[in-house]
Amino acid sequence: MTKAKRRGKRTRKEKVDMLIVNANELVTLKGGSEKPRTGTQIQNLGIIRKGGLAVKDGRIVAVGKTPEIRKSFSAENVISASGKIVMPGFVDPHTHLVFAGSREDEFQMRVEGVSYMAILGAGGGILRTVRETRRAGVERLVEFGFKTLDVMLEHGTTTVEAKSGYGLTLKDELKILGVMKRLNQLHAVDVVPTFLGAHAIPLEYKNNPQEYVNLIIEEMIPRVAEKGLAEFCDVFCEKGVFNLEQTRRVLVAGKNRGLKPKVHADEMSMFGGAELAADVRAVSAEHLLFASDEGIKAMADKGVVAVLLPAAAFSLMTGRYADARKMIDFGVPVALGTDFNPSCWVENQQLVIAFACHFMRLTPAEAITAATINSAHAIGRTSEVGSLEIGKKADVIVLDVPNHMFLGYRFGVNLVDKVVKNGRLVVDKEASGIKTVGLF
Ligand code: FE
């Protein structure tokens, strides 16, 4: 090729909206969108050293080595990630985003040794939050949810699943799902709604839980589905809450109306929730601290994603965690979420990754896969998010660490330097950073 021709080629660079270049590690998670990763595949991060990417109209249009990206694309907005890592925004596949009030006094009781189930049995826990959420107006709930999403975004989460379940009447469940819809419209973070009317037996049905299950099946699910307010239907399947038979009825009723099943399974006891999740072909089973070997095998067989929530286990203070290693060995795809709720108040997926490494012995690479592409599988969003690939949303985070193994290793602080959501720079620590003034 002649010099002139080469020059000519350089001038034909495609103009795009943004380039992110020179990442020490560009963690792409490429190739995990078809099937969730498990076994040894979960360690495969698809890292490109000195990597970069191009963004146009909110989407990723190129991923590769920085010189290749620079050669083909130009943009006014160029972000240098020199010395840092770049990866997909975190996907949080399990939150209870919308509620009113707080329960710090119950936290103190739990520190002093009172069990979570004892607090719930005495009308506290979920039931207390239900009382406060029923009283709260839409505006107050939207304001609270918005603030929470801000904190999540600052910590690098760009997509969250959100469960209802603090209303437990048709009117209040619709109110909460409506708030989630508003939040999805108002806030940069994408909110994926799950109907969790079967979160607890409300006090008014204490002596007739079956009637409440009927209400969920006959009134709530049809209305929620008809209004298009949820994609998933979840049940808190646990001794003293919803039994296996009730859980199955609710999940099947949801499925018949197009709501994909999820289960809060085997959190406090070995209850058969994992087996049931496999049996009803749930998209995911969540918690799983006490899942049986049979249940784990059945989940692997049916491709049910295990959404593990080590921050919730941490907040239970029993020292028990889900057996993530066994699940990965058996071929279950593992995802990680916060379980953000009034008894596990954490918005930060980076801390969840640290807990997963320390308490469940996931490597940082495994935990990163679990908190991104596998989480996207758990909420049916793999065509949009969870990896840095051409055509996906430009939901990208820059972390101020030299390599991915720092995730989990350096914990308790926010490693986020920048967050790009739908191709827009929405968090920039560099620009808003604290200016240290020397005392000299
Ligand atoms: Fe939960």
Side-chain angles (χ1 to χ4, degrees):
M1 199 188 284
T2 65
K3 259 185 184 172
K5 264 188 179 167
R6 242 179 283 147
R7 259 201 307 274
K9 206 168 184 192
R10 268 201 295 273
T11 57
R12 284 200 301 271
K13 283 182 184 180
E14 187 186 339
K15 210 155 169 37
V16 292
D17 300 328
M18 177 190 286
L19 298 180
I20 304 177
V21 296
N22 282 327
N24 238 11
E25 292 184 348
L26 184 81
V27 180
T28 67
L29 279 305
K30 189 180 178 215
S33 301
E34 292 285 296
K35 261 181 72 183
R37 292 192 196 279
T38 184
T40 53
Q41 277 301 307
I42 191 172
Q43 296 170 41
N44 186 356
L45 298 184
I47 290 173
I48 300 173
R49 288 185 203 287
K50 297 294 166 214
L53 54 83
V55 174
K56 195 175 183 181
D57 298 328
R59 300 269 160 181
I60 297 170
V61 293
V63 180
K65 292 264 188 198
T66 295
E68 293 163 15
I69 300 288
R70 287 277 207 189
K71 203 160 54 180
S72 307
F73 300 94
S74 71
E76 268 167 41
N77 193 357
V78 179
I79 293 173
S80 169
S82 180
K84 297 168 185 166
I85 72 167
V86 173
M87 58 177 285
F90 295 115
V91 176
D92 188 343
H94 183 137
T95 82
H96 302 258
L97 182 67
V98 175
F99 61 83
S102 58
R103 306 209 302 258
E104 64 281 15
D105 50 342
E106 290 180 7
F107 168 65
Q108 184 162 320
M109 287 164 71
R110 290 191 292 117
V111 169
E112 288 165 352
V114 183
S115 81
Y116 176 84
M117 290 311 267
I119 291 170
L120 182 62
I126 293 172
L127 294 175
R128 172 168 162 201
T129 302
V130 167
R131 282 195 297 277
E132 295 190 52
T133 308
R134 282 177 180 175
R135 278 200 299 267
V138 166
E139 287 311 314
R140 186 177 146 206
L141 293 173
V142 168
E143 196 181 320
F144 173 75
F146 199 93
K147 270 190 188 168
T148 302
L149 289 173
D150 275 350
V151 180
M152 289 174 167
L153 189 65
E154 278 167 29
H155 288 84
T157 297
T158 46
T159 303
V160 301
E161 183 256 19
K163 301 172 193 296
S164 68
Y166 293 115
L168 310 186
T169 64
L170 176 62
K171 176 174 136 269
D172 291 298
E173 286 295 306
L174 292 177
K175 175 176 80 177
I176 293 166
L177 290 165
V179 167
M180 290 176 192
K181 190 176 173 182
R182 280 271 299 280
L183 288 170
N184 188 43
Q185 293 161 344
L186 290 172
H187 203 279
V189 173
D190 289 315
V191 178
V192 176
T194 293
F195 169 64
L196 178 59
H199 194 195
I201 309 281
L203 271 182
E204 55 275 24
Y205 289 93
K206 199 177 168 190
N207 299 319
N208 198 354
Q210 212 58 33
E211 209 176 304
Y212 183 60
V213 173
N214 293 341
L215 178 76
I216 293 172
I217 292 171
E218 288 158 21
E219 293 184 38
M220 292 189 188
I221 287 175
R223 282 296 294 281
V224 168
E226 183 186 289
K227 285 175 159 275
L229 284 172
E231 290 183 33
F232 298 93
C233 177
D234 194 347
V235 178
F236 188 8
C237 179
E238 190 67 53
K239 193 157 43 174
V241 192
F242 294 93
N243 66 29
L244 288 172
E245 176 54 29
Q246 294 164 335
T247 303
R248 181 188 297 276
R249 284 185 60 212
V250 171
L251 293 179
V252 169
K255 215 173 171 180
N256 289 339
R257 297 274 181 164
L259 304 178
K260 288 166 266 175
K262 283 176 167 287
V263 199
H264 277 65
D266 302 314
E267 182 184 5
M268 318 278 181
S269 61
M270 192 187 285
F271 198 59
E275 288 89 333
L276 179 70
D279 207 41
V280 300
R281 303 280 174 122
V283 175
S284 61
E286 331 223 329
H287 289 289
L288 300 167
L289 272 60
F290 290 86
S292 70
D293 285 3
E294 293 70 36
I296 296 171
K297 279 186 194 133
M299 284 177 60
D301 272 357
K302 299 285 167 19
V304 180
V305 180
V307 174
L308 304 184
L309 308 158
F314 179 79
S315 76
L316 284 175
M317 292 179 260
T318 61
R320 187 170 183 128
Y321 290 83
D323 195 342
R325 290 258 56 97
K326 187 185 274 179
M327 292 177 196
I328 291 169
D329 288 348
F330 282 17
V332 175
V334 165
L336 286 171
T338 56
D339 198 12
F340 171 81
N341 78 69
S343 77
C344 173
W345 198 307
V346 59
E347 295 92 341
N348 181 0
Q349 279 280 63
Q350 299 166 58
L351 187 64
V352 171
I353 286 172
F355 286 171
C357 296
H358 286 85
F359 298 127
M360 305 195 304
R361 302 295 173 124
L362 294 193
T363 64
E366 290 171 329
I368 289 168
T369 301
T372 54
I373 190 68
N374 277 8
S375 291
H377 277 283
I379 57 170
R381 283 296 186 282
T382 51
S383 61
E384 292 288 90
V385 297
S387 62
L388 302 179
E389 292 179 275
I390 293 172
K392 287 203 180 185
K393 283 189 178 213
D395 289 3
V396 189
I397 58 177
V398 181
L399 302 184
D400 192 4
V401 289
N403 63 62
H404 71 275
M405 285 181 283
F406 267 79
L407 270 162
Y409 163 61
R410 185 177 171 198
F411 61 94
V413 292
N414 187 5
L415 304 176
V416 165
D417 176 55
K418 289 181 175 61
V419 179
V420 173
K421 174 67 192 166
N422 290 325
R424 273 178 46 229
L425 183 63
V426 287
V427 175
D428 188 357
K429 203 152 117 194
E430 218 169 22
S432 60
I434 301 164
K435 301 269 183 291
T436 311
V437 178
L439 295 170
F440 50 83

